[in-house]
Amino acid sequence: MSKTLLVIGAHSADFVWRAAGTIAVTTAEGGSATVLALSYGERGESGELWQEPNQTVENVKRIRHEEAVAAASAVGATFRCLDLGDYPLNITDAAMQQLVELFRDLQPHIVLTHTPVDPFNPDHPVASQAVQKARLLASGAGVSSAFKRIIPPDLYFFEPHQPELSEFMPNTFVDITPVMDQKIKAMQAMQAQSYLQSYYTELASRRGNHARRISGMEEVKYAEALQRTLPWVVKNL
């Protein structure tokens, strides 16, 4: 069965570094993927753009939007942004309602977002908590109620920049070897943070090494690490 994937980041480039390969794998297998950014990261994530003379917030947002659309297209996804502002990211009641409605409209099978802990970025935990709350409100915790509800989607945290300090426990590795070129293309689209491209290419290689050692699958050269947050429910082992 083809899967519907929803990836929600605090800023418009978050999905590229952390989940572009997983997105490309999903769409290559016939699934669909939607990327939602809660903000453009215009204040705290766009340092290279602010080095240009006479730069404006509006222009930074425009550039970030164009980059994110190109990056999402490279991995077969669609991109949307709620434009809530960053540093700090504040989730209003109206924004929460938009998130809940998105869950209900898309009815995703899988949701990816930030870890609840990130001592280096104030917006990432806010985004994580908002996504978890919206998921519960949309699914009603899997119990029939007076509200329209969806089947509870699987929830994964994607890898933060400092995993050891963000309580990130990788328990799922996605083989992105066949789509690594697409991830690189997506990263190259994010010129506002071009300094991250080499870091996340190297990380994909290291995670590929980990995946090979765990599984014995010698064909895995590149991987993305995720943390599954919910138990598996199975008929047998």
Side-chain angles (χ1 to χ4, degrees):
M1 182 181 67
S2 62
K3 298 293 182 69
T4 298
L5 177 64
L6 174 60
V7 183
I8 303 179
H11 315 107
S12 58
D14 288 335
F15 79 96
V16 174
W17 321 116
R18 297 165 173 85
T22 302
I23 294 169
V25 168
T26 300
T27 58
E29 293 179 346
S32 63
T34 298
V35 174
L36 178 72
L38 301 182
S39 80
Y40 285 111
E42 65 273 9
R43 289 162 55 87
E45 305 280 312
S46 306
E48 293 186 13
L49 294 178
W50 285 105
Q51 295 177 17
E52 299 179 12
N54 304 313
Q55 187 62 277
T56 65
V57 169
E58 291 74 17
N59 192 51
V60 169
K61 287 182 179 181
R62 178 188 61 79
I63 294 171
R64 294 279 285 184
H65 182 84
E66 292 174 353
E67 290 181 350
V69 169
S73 177
V75 293
T78 59
F79 174 80
R80 296 174 56 179
C81 184
L82 295 189
D83 193 12
L84 300 177
D86 68 318
Y87 282 76
L89 171 66
N90 293 311
I91 307 298
T92 63
D93 290 344
M96 178 55 65
Q97 187 60 37
Q98 285 182 278
L99 276 175
V100 173
E101 290 302 323
L102 180 64
F103 271 83
R104 289 174 176 159
D105 290 343
L106 290 178
Q107 300 185 45
H109 298 97
I110 302 167
V111 177
L112 308 183
T113 193
H114 297 278
T115 52
V117 175
D118 190 330
F120 299 98
N121 193 302
D123 293 346
H124 292 173
V126 173
S128 179
Q129 294 299 330
V131 171
Q132 293 181 71
K133 182 177 181 179
R135 175 187 172 277
L136 290 174
L137 290 173
S139 65
V143 178
S144 298
S145 64
F147 303 99
K148 176 185 176 182
R149 69 180 186 89
I150 64 173
I151 296 172
D154 289 336
L155 176 65
Y156 292 83
F157 299 143
F158 44 54
E159 184 164 9
H161 197 71
Q162 295 277 5
E164 299 86 353
L165 300 178
S166 299
E167 300 179 10
F168 177 74
M169 296 294 292
N171 57 23
T172 304
F173 290 85
V174 180
D175 176 15
I176 65 169
T177 307
V179 298
M180 188 61 193
D181 287 346
Q182 288 176 261
K183 174 160 184 167
I184 291 173
K185 184 177 180 180
M187 292 192 295
Q188 290 173 340
M190 306 307 296
Q191 290 299 309
Q193 291 174 282
S194 60
Y195 58 91
L196 290 175
Q197 294 175 22
S198 60
Y199 176 88
Y200 279 98
T201 300
E202 293 170 1
L203 178 61
S205 179
R206 291 197 301 274
R207 288 309 192 185
N209 175 271
H210 299 161
R212 285 195 305 276
R213 293 177 65 87
I214 292 167
S215 67
M217 299 166 60
E218 292 299 326
E219 70 275 15
V220 181
K221 306 301 180 186
Y222 299 97
E224 287 176 343
L226 303 171
Q227 180 178 343
R228 182 178 172 86
T229 67
L230 301 169
W232 290 103
V233 178
V234 299
K235 296 292 187 181
N236 52 62
L237 295 180

